Amino acid sequence: MLRLGIVVAFIVYLILLAGQVSDLVNDRGSRSGIYIETGAAGEVRISGFRTGVAELGGLETGDVILRLGDADEHGVDKVPTNYFAFRHALDAADGNVLIQRDGHTFQTRYDLERYLWQAVVVLRNVALGVLAAVLLIYSSGSLAQTAAVTFLLMSAWGQGAPIGGSGEATALFTLVWCIGQSFVSPMLGILFQRVM
């Protein structure tokens, strides 16, 4: 059963690593830190920020987002109401948003929290995954070695779910990451309890 769990963890690892490599190649990857909601008239409003503050980076809770991106470039006039599509579109727009606040409309740029050293993150995750694979291949199957492999794979998942090339891909990567975390974290805890 533990071997099956490790196989599942490796599959999750490979999916997320592919997403991280894709983000690196296509210059994606950020934490938006913005929560959105759809208003009564169908408009997209900022409902809050991950940090819990009411104002962040030129945006405020309650601001209506009219467009993502510049008007003359790759702007998205139809603001996605789905959080994952919004996260992808905000990343693609590099944080440029057209907002409406108190009857006034203006363009601003929300400073996205970009993942730093993306290439280093990918290389580190590859190294941890290779180390986990080698340890698994040459292990005797003991609980301590299985726990070590699981720990390496969890560490290799890195900064979290990739952005992905679309809102759907972002949602899929996030779902895979959440499934992996909910599956592997308890398994790791059980393994360490048995080993200790």
Side-chain angles (χ1 to χ4, degrees):
M1 189 66 173
L2 286 175
R3 289 279 176 167
L4 177 62
I6 295 295
V7 169
V8 172
F10 259 110
I11 292 170
V12 170
Y13 159 74
L14 291 173
I15 292 171
L16 294 175
L17 181 64
Q20 290 169 345
V21 170
S22 174
D23 280 354
L24 172 64
V25 170
N26 294 292
D27 195 29
R28 292 187 302 256
S30 65
R31 296 186 186 103
S32 72
I34 299 175
Y35 299 120
I36 58 170
E37 63 185 2
T38 305
E43 77 277 9
V44 177
R45 292 183 175 274
I46 296 174
S47 61
F49 301 96
R50 188 181 65 244
T51 55
V53 297
E55 180 179 0
L56 188 66
L59 300 178
E60 294 180 8
T61 302
D63 285 349
V64 176
I65 300 177
L66 303 175
R67 184 179 61 242
L68 295 173
D70 296 325
D72 56 344
E73 300 215 355
H74 308 294
V76 178
D77 287 325
K78 183 161 175 45
V79 180
T81 56
N82 174 284
Y83 174 74
F84 302 106
F86 177 83
R87 182 179 173 219
H88 171 264
L90 183 65
D91 186 86
D94 197 29
N96 288 304
V97 294
L98 180 68
I99 64 170
Q100 186 176 54
R101 180 190 305 154
D102 300 326
H104 301 288
T105 301
F106 57 94
Q107 184 85 26
T108 187
R109 185 176 180 280
Y110 175 70
D111 193 18
L112 289 168
E113 188 181 342
R114 291 278 178 192
Y115 294 132
L116 300 177
W117 304 101
Q118 190 92 346
V120 174
V121 168
V122 169
L123 289 173
R124 182 200 68 198
N125 292 347
V126 168
L128 288 170
V130 168
L131 185 58
V134 169
L135 185 58
L136 183 63
I137 290 168
Y138 292 104
S139 76
S140 62
S142 71
L143 286 173
Q145 290 171 334
T146 305
V149 170
T150 307
F151 178 75
L152 288 170
L153 287 175
M154 275 191 68
S155 301
W157 291 353
Q159 77 270 14
I163 290 285
S166 66
E168 291 79 12
T170 302
L172 177 62
F173 283 131
T174 304
L175 177 65
V176 169
W177 186 81
C178 289
I179 289 171
Q181 289 291 337
S182 64
F183 172 75
V184 175
S185 299
M187 189 174 84
L188 186 61
I190 291 167
L191 283 167
F192 277 131
Q193 281 180 348
R194 288 185 186 176
V195 170
M196 297 300 180

